[in-house]
Amino acid sequence: MAGYVVGVTGGIGSGKTTVTDCFADLGIVIADADEASRKIVEPGQPVLDAITEYFSKDILDETGRLNRKKLREIVFNDVSKRKALEGFTHRPIMDELQRQLHEARGEYAMLVLSAGLGTSPLIDRMLVVDAEEPIRIQRVMIRDGSSEALIRQIINSQPSSEERLAIADDVVENNSDIDQVRADVSRLHARYLELARA
């Protein structure tokens, strides 16, 4: 197991994946809550059965897979349904992330949290990925095909940039300059190796 864990958080569209891909290129294991959340709702998984039972089969696509876009629209318009979904998924996601971190070999690993404030007893240090709101909205519209109204609703349901930056040990500004992102990652990688060895 990696002896040192850097948490990564940031709002929707901030570009966490771009940043963690740069760390992955340096050989760092990335345990990602979003990827874990996809894995636990694959067809045949008990979590998908529980979600389907609660929300009905209307949230499945024609292949029997979870229609994430449809589910997102439901839960972001109804707080009680969002809390119900979190109840089904939170523990299995944490179990999957702990498994990945336990299997990680290397001086440090990264734990990419969902878009909340991302406090976790597994984390030794917190990296926040931030970006200007218009850039974030544009990225998500291109990536997911979601409406601007829904994306703004999601952003408003998440902690603000100010709240995130208040818990940050390190920050990467990801406003589309990939060379700057790579330079920041290279600098932070050296720092994290130092901290892990200490």
Side-chain angles (χ1 to χ4, degrees), residues 18 24 57-58 82 88 93 97 107 109 115 122 139 144 147 169 184 190-193 197:
T18 301
K57 289 190 174 173
D58 290 345
R82 189 161 84 229
F88 295 129
I93 289 170
L97 292 172
E107 294 186 75
L122 301 172
R139 280 176 183 156
D144 297 348
S147 68
D169 296 300
D184 288 344
R191 177 79 179 121
Y192 297 154
L193 286 173
R197 287 163 187 164

Side-chain angles (χ1 to χ4, degrees), residues 10-14 16 72 115 136 140 143-144 151 154-155 158:
I12 187 170
S14 59
K16 297 187 293 291
R72 181 187 288 165
R136 294 168 58 195
V140 182
R143 184 187 74 195
D144 297 348
I151 299 162
I154 294 168
I155 287 173
Q158 295 179 348

Side-chain angles (χ1 to χ4, degrees), residues 35-174:
E35 283 180 24
S37 74
R38 287 188 186 90
K39 192 170 181 178
I40 64 163
V41 295
E42 287 288 315
Q45 293 291 329
V47 176
L48 181 61
D49 295 341
I51 291 170
T52 306
E53 192 174 323
Y54 181 86
F55 288 95
S56 89
K57 289 190 174 173
D58 290 345
I59 56 144
L60 301 177
D61 65 18
E62 60 280 359
T63 69
R65 292 182 170 274
L66 185 63
N67 184 330
R68 294 170 68 86
K69 187 178 174 187
K70 195 172 199 178
L71 183 59
R72 181 187 288 165
E73 285 168 2
I74 293 168
V75 300
F76 277 101
N77 286 304
D78 188 322
V79 173
S80 65
K81 287 181 177 169
R82 189 161 84 229
K83 290 199 178 307
L85 179 64
E86 287 167 0
F88 295 129
T89 59
H90 178 74
R91 186 72 254 165
I93 289 170
M94 290 308 294
D95 289 346
E96 174 62 21
L97 292 172
Q98 282 183 300
R99 183 192 66 75
Q100 290 179 31
L101 291 173
H102 191 74
E103 291 177 3
R105 297 291 172 264
E107 294 186 75
Y108 75 94
M110 300 193 110
L111 173 55
V112 186
L113 296 144
S114 58
L117 275 180
T119 51
S120 167
L122 301 172
I123 291 169
D124 297 295
R125 192 172 179 87
M126 181 63 76
L127 168 62
V128 171
V129 180
D130 200 32
E132 292 166 10
E133 192 168 294
I135 292 172
R136 294 168 58 195
I137 291 168
Q138 190 67 28
R139 280 176 183 156
V140 182
M141 286 172 78
I142 292 166
R143 184 187 74 195
D144 297 348
S146 298
S147 68
E148 183 175 341
L150 177 62
I151 299 162
R152 286 191 182 281
Q153 206 175 345
I154 294 168
I155 287 173
N156 291 336
S157 77
Q158 295 179 348
S160 66
S161 284
E162 291 74 21
E163 287 174 294
R164 275 201 196 83
L165 295 171
I167 62 157
D169 296 300
D170 307 294
V171 179
V172 171
E173 293 285 349
N174 184 12

